[in-house]
């Protein structure tokens, strides 16, 4: 574990306000950026940048090189339909899920349900106060799932932060009944080792399996001790969610020693995260496949037996990848896009100094068949627009845009905005549309921008950390066929088979 990882993990679990942005900025100034987790459950304090960086940001705005402060700019083929500001939940906006005419928006203070039957005028149906970072969210049938990755005094929605060194502290999964969208009911809680940073659903007719990703163990944490190189698997009976329970903890990175296997990180691999678990998993149920973004490793595995996943291949990129953050299959399941969250989402990495291959997407082809399949690197993609040194910017959450015969996705880049890009040619990906706002500040590095940007039933929806819920409309002949594809439910980490 790097020093910065250790500091942020301790601060997140202890409930101490972290000046993560300052730490990240210092590391970026000193040399190659160390990998870090996503921000904790307390606001990141804006960190003043140097007078030189502030002056360069102002000059870039005046010259038109970057948009003005909070100014909206976009390519001609994207329209900004509307923005719904935050309301009763002031915390950091996080992930999104969709079901029928509803969008579900996570927030570090709870979640919000929107009626998007008219995407031009979304209406708030309900807001639920239930603090706990990062409130990663998904839905299946009448159940809503919420991740808690901060040490809490108990599993209630009235809990407070409490040191993870105390055995009574709680972290894990929460389950709500959303049969009444106006009045969601909290029905179950399952504690998981090291909490639940993110989670992924593997839905079946009678049960929903939940793959829980978590990391950063510490010998001082009774419920999160190393080695931790695995995932918690929860089984949730649809008709009796109160019986939800952990049914397995498969070790994905077996190895000898107190820290297990996986990427050792620094000093062996400087600037690379030590693998102590997974950050995010994406499953493709129609193909019985899953891809894992696991800090210092990327993995491909079979979920034919959902309670006992089996590793097929494992890859590392110790030159350009710092923190394997998330994964996206293409529709044919012969490619995986992995994202590198260099700087943990709190650093300015979309600039000339960092370059085009770090804090980017890595495109891997899947070759071979069955258990002999391999992940083969083909190329990187990063947004081509440089951002200011006051803007946190790095590859983050995105989804496929369902166009038959093409590989196109939309993706969030924090203050880098929303990017639509084509990776049909794995070795030569190209951006085809974008939307972004100018920097939140010109004299400080402040956390903001799009956390998640997903395509759902004809529109792009973005959950902006500070600005709220954005709706975008894409008009482009390359993506227009996607308008005819309609889903009843979308959890992006549970990828649908769009074309059967």
């Amino acid at each position: 574990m790097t020093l910065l990882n250790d500091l942020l993990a301790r601060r997140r679990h202890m409930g101490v306000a972290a000046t993560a942005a300052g730490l990240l900025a210092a590391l970026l100034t000193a040399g190659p950026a160390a990998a870090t987790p996503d921000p904790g459950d307390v606001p990141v304090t804006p960190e003043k940048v140097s007078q030189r960086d502030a002056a360069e940001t102002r000059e870039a705005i005046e010259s038109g090189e970057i948009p003005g402060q909070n100014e909206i700019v976009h390519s001609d083929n994207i329209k900004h339909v509307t923005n719904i500001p935050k309301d009763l939940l002031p915390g950091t906006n996080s992930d999104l899920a969709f079901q029928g005419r509803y969008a579900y928006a996570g927030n570090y203070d709870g979640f919000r349900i929107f009626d998007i039957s008219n995407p031009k005028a979304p209406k708030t149906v309900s807001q639920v106060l239930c603090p706990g970072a990062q409130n990663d969210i998904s839905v299946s049938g009448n159940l809503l799932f919420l991740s808690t990755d901060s040490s809490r005094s108990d599993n209630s929605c009235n809990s407070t932060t409490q040191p993870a060194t105390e055995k009574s502290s709680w972290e894990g999964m929460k389950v709500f009944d959303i049969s009444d969208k106006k009045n969601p009911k909290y029905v179950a809680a399952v504690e998981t080792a090291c909490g639940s940073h993110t989670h992924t659903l593997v839905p079946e007719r009678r049960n929903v399996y939940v793959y829980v990703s978590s990391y950063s163990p510490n010998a001082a944490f009774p419920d999160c001790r190393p080695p931790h190189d695995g995932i918690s698997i929860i089984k949730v009976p649809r008709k009796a969610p109160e019986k939800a329970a952990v049914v397995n903890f498969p070790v994905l990175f077996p190895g000898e020693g107190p820290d297990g296997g996986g990427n050792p990180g620094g000093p062996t691999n400087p600037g690379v995260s030590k693998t102590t678990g997974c950050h995010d998993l994406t499953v493709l149920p129609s193909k019985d496949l899953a891809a894992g973004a696991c800090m210092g490793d990327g993995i491909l595995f079979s979920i034919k037996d959902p309670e006992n996943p089996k590793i097929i291949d494992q890859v590392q990129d110790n030159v350009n990848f710092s923190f394997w953050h998330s994964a996206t299959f293409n529709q044919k399941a012969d490619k995986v896009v992995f994202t590198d969250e260099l700087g943990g989402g709190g650093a300015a990495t979309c600039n000339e100094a960092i370059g085009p291959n770090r804090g980017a997407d890595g495109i891997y082809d899947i070759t071979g068949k069955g258990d002999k399949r391999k992940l083969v690197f083909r190329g990187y993609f990063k947004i081509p627009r440089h951002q200011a040194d006051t803007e946190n910017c790095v590859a983050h959450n995105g989804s496929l845009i369902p166009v038959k015969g093409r590989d196109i996705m939309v993706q969030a880049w924090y203050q880098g905005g929303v990017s639509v890009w084509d990776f049909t040619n794995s070795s030569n990906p190209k951006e085809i549309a974008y939307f972004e706002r100018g920097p939140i500040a010109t004299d400080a590095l402040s956390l903001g921008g799009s956390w998640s940007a997903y395509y759902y039933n004809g529109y792009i929806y973005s959950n902006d950390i500070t600005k709220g819920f954005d709706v975008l409309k894409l008009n482009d002949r390359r993506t227009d066929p996607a308008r005819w594809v309609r889903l009843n439910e979308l959890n992006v980490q549970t990828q649908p088979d769009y074309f059967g």
Side-chain angles (χ1 to χ4, degrees):
M1 181 183 292
T2 65
L3 174 61
L4 184 55
N5 268 336
D6 184 54
L7 283 170
L8 289 181
R10 287 175 182 271
R11 292 179 185 209
R12 184 177 77 246
H13 286 285
M14 297 295 183
V16 178
T19 54
L23 291 169
L24 291 166
L27 281 171
L28 286 168
T29 301
T36 63
D38 290 326
D41 69 330
V42 291
V44 176
T45 304
E47 182 73 13
K48 289 286 185 180
V49 298
S50 68
Q51 290 184 354
R52 176 181 177 181
D53 285 343
E56 288 179 351
T57 298
R58 291 191 294 270
E59 289 173 5
I61 291 173
E62 291 171 2
S63 68
E65 182 181 347
I66 65 173
Q69 190 171 354
N70 293 311
E71 177 188 0
I72 290 177
V73 296
H74 53 82
S75 55
D76 292 339
N77 53 357
I78 274 189
K79 178 182 178 181
H80 187 212
V81 177
T82 192
N83 169 265
I84 309 298
K86 291 182 185 181
D87 188 10
L88 302 179
L89 305 174
T92 296
N93 277 340
S94 57
D95 212 5
L96 294 168
F98 304 88
Q99 188 181 67
R101 60 188 177 96
Y102 298 101
Y104 302 82
N107 178 287
Y108 278 39
D109 286 328
F111 63 93
R112 187 175 183 179
I113 302 178
F114 292 99
D115 181 337
I116 55 171
S117 53
N118 179 3
K120 297 178 181 179
K123 297 179 180 178
T124 298
V125 177
S126 59
Q127 299 184 72
V128 175
L129 179 65
C130 195
Q134 48 186 16
N135 278 340
D136 191 48
I137 193 168
S138 57
V139 293
S140 183
N142 287 328
L143 299 178
L144 179 147
F145 302 85
L146 208 62
S147 285
T148 299
D149 190 34
S150 59
S151 185
R152 315 296 299 182
S153 55
D154 55 53
N155 64 11
S156 75
C157 286
N158 296 317
S159 66
T160 58
T161 56
Q162 178 172 292
T165 50
E166 294 187 20
K167 178 62 179 174
S168 64
S169 295
W170 184 92
E171 299 180 71
M173 287 299 308
K174 294 169 181 169
V175 185
F176 291 78
D177 183 323
I178 53 170
S179 52
D180 181 357
K181 305 295 187 292
K182 294 182 179 180
N183 185 32
K185 296 180 180 179
Y186 186 11
V187 295
V190 180
E191 187 170 14
T192 54
C194 298
S196 175
H197 192 71
T198 65
H199 68 268
T200 302
L201 303 188
V202 184
E204 295 185 334
R205 187 170 62 89
R206 294 183 178 180
N207 305 295
V208 180
Y209 287 99
V210 186
Y211 288 1
V212 176
S213 297
S214 56
Y215 52 93
S216 294
N218 189 302
F221 301 159
D223 299 317
C224 181
R225 287 175 173 156
H228 176 72
D229 290 340
I231 58 173
S232 297
I233 299 180
I234 299 173
K235 184 178 181 179
V236 184
R238 289 188 184 275
K239 293 185 178 181
E242 69 278 2
K243 295 182 180 180
V246 175
V247 293
N248 197 9
F249 186 87
V251 176
L252 303 179
F253 303 97
E256 298 180 358
D259 296 323
N263 199 316
T268 303
N269 297 316
V272 177
S273 282
K274 174 181 173 58
T275 298
T276 61
C278 289
H279 178 276
D280 208 349
L281 308 175
T282 293
V283 298
L284 193 57
S286 64
K287 302 290 194 299
D288 290 328
L289 277 179
C294 302
M295 305 181 72
D297 294 86
I299 57 174
L300 181 71
F301 57 102
S302 167
I303 58 168
K304 191 171 185 178
D305 179 354
E307 291 189 22
N308 297 282
K310 180 182 178 182
I311 299 294
I312 297 173
D313 195 24
Q314 175 182 350
V315 291
Q316 298 177 355
D317 179 349
N318 294 319
V319 175
N320 287 314
F321 257 50
S322 176
F323 187 88
W324 295 66
H325 177 276
S326 53
T328 303
F329 286 101
N330 70 336
Q331 178 58 32
K332 290 183 178 179
D334 59 7
K335 298 177 187 177
V336 182
V337 173
F338 289 103
T339 67
D340 172 24
E341 196 186 46
L342 172 68
T349 70
C350 297
N351 51 31
E352 187 175 3
I354 297 298
N357 296 336
R358 301 175 64 225
D361 297 313
I363 306 161
Y364 286 74
D365 284 353
I366 301 174
T367 63
K369 296 182 179 180
D371 291 347
K372 294 185 179 181
R373 283 172 285 191
K374 297 292 182 183
L375 292 165
V376 179
F377 173 76
R378 295 302 188 200
Y380 297 107
F381 171 78
K382 192 172 184 180
I383 55 173
R385 299 170 309 285
H386 286 158
Q387 306 295 303
D389 287 334
T390 62
E391 294 180 281
N392 63 302
C393 175
V394 74
H396 213 234
N397 294 350
S399 75
L400 285 185
I401 297 179
V403 178
K404 200 166 187 176
R406 306 290 298 179
D407 297 325
I408 301 175
M409 69 179 290
V410 59
Q411 187 176 3
W413 289 78
Y414 289 113
Q415 285 196 69
V418 175
S419 175
V420 178
W421 59 289
D422 187 320
F423 61 104
T424 307
N425 182 341
S426 305
S427 301
N428 188 30
K430 295 181 179 179
E431 183 176 71
I432 60 176
Y434 72 90
F435 165 89
E436 69 166 300
R437 291 179 171 91
I440 292 173
T442 59
D443 60 352
L445 180 60
S446 300
L447 184 69
S450 179
W451 179 288
S452 298
Y454 299 146
Y455 182 92
Y456 179 69
N457 291 354
Y459 289 83
I460 293 170
Y461 297 90
S462 167
N463 213 18
D464 188 287
I465 289 172
T466 59
K467 302 297 184 183
F469 185 68
D470 285 307
V471 183
L472 309 175
K473 181 68 172 178
L474 183 61
N475 293 292
D476 190 289
R477 59 178 177 77
R478 292 163 290 191
T479 58
D480 284 347
R483 296 177 182 177
W484 305 108
V485 178
R486 287 291 183 267
L487 299 176
N488 292 322
E489 194 169 274
L490 177 63
N491 301 293
V492 168
Q493 288 73 33
T494 305
Q495 286 191 217
D497 188 341
Y498 287 104
F499 305 110

